[in-house]
Amino acid sequence: MADFADESEVYTYLSHRLGERGLKILGRRVGAGRLSPDIDILAERERVRIGFEVKYFRSPSRFYEGLDEALALLTHCLDEVYLLHVFDSSLGEQARELARKAALLVSLTPVGYMAMFGRSSPEVLVEARGNPLKELLCQ
């Protein structure tokens, strides 16, 4: 049986877990139908706006899934962006290998990377380095 019924349940669970870390959750699926891509989870910490692109994997998938959308979120004038991969616990050690490869790739960008295995807490594997486009696009 899957850890989550669908991505909507993942967003609810993550909102709770991120809130426990001191983030104020400002919304889920922000801009759906208006922004491309929409912001899966929008949060704030000490006036720093953080956007999360979330992908839930029930089966092995491409380790780079969602990186394009996370990079595009930088154009939405956010201070920081994270790609957050949620791996179903049924994937076992294969999930950790996918997360390791994703972290290597993401580390070449200003985007941060988090991974969550089953219903655990999200682990920060790569810290976000701030939005280099903010000054150029968000005057």
Side-chain angles (χ1 to χ4, degrees):
M1 179 172 206
D3 293 318
F4 298 97
D6 55 27
E7 274 195 350
S8 178
E9 187 179 346
V10 172
Y11 298 155
T12 301
Y13 183 81
L14 282 171
S15 295
H16 173 72
R17 286 298 205 164
L18 294 170
E20 289 178 337
R21 291 181 163 199
L23 294 173
K24 179 181 177 185
I25 304 303
L26 303 176
R28 290 179 269 185
R29 300 287 322 268
V30 175
R34 296 184 335 271
L35 291 177
S36 182
D38 63 336
I39 304 167
D40 291 338
I41 297 176
L42 178 61
E44 186 176 66
R45 179 184 63 249
E46 299 172 9
R47 293 191 174 135
V48 174
R49 287 192 167 229
I50 306 164
F52 292 88
E53 175 59 33
V54 179
K55 293 296 179 195
Y56 176 41
F57 299 108
R58 292 183 184 163
S59 61
S61 189
R62 299 174 299 218
F63 65 90
Y64 51 85
E65 189 82 29
L67 182 55
D68 56 342
E69 292 168 279
L71 286 166
L73 288 179
L74 294 170
T75 65
H76 294 333
C77 299
L78 298 164
D79 298 300
E80 295 178 355
V81 171
Y82 280 88
L83 173 59
L84 201 164
H85 282 164
V86 178
F87 296 98
D88 196 86
S89 58
S90 65
L91 294 174
E93 283 304 308
Q94 191 172 20
R96 295 219 177 256
E97 179 59 19
L98 292 169
R100 185 189 69 76
K101 287 180 181 178
L104 286 171
L105 183 60
V106 171
S107 70
L108 301 173
T109 75
V111 171
Y113 179 67
M114 300 172 86
M116 190 172 91
F117 306 96
R119 287 186 173 260
S120 65
S121 290
E123 300 174 29
V124 177
L125 300 179
V126 177
E127 290 286 346
R129 295 194 305 253
N131 185 346
L133 300 178
K134 192 167 181 185
E135 288 186 28
L136 297 170
L137 300 176
C138 309
Q139 301 301 344

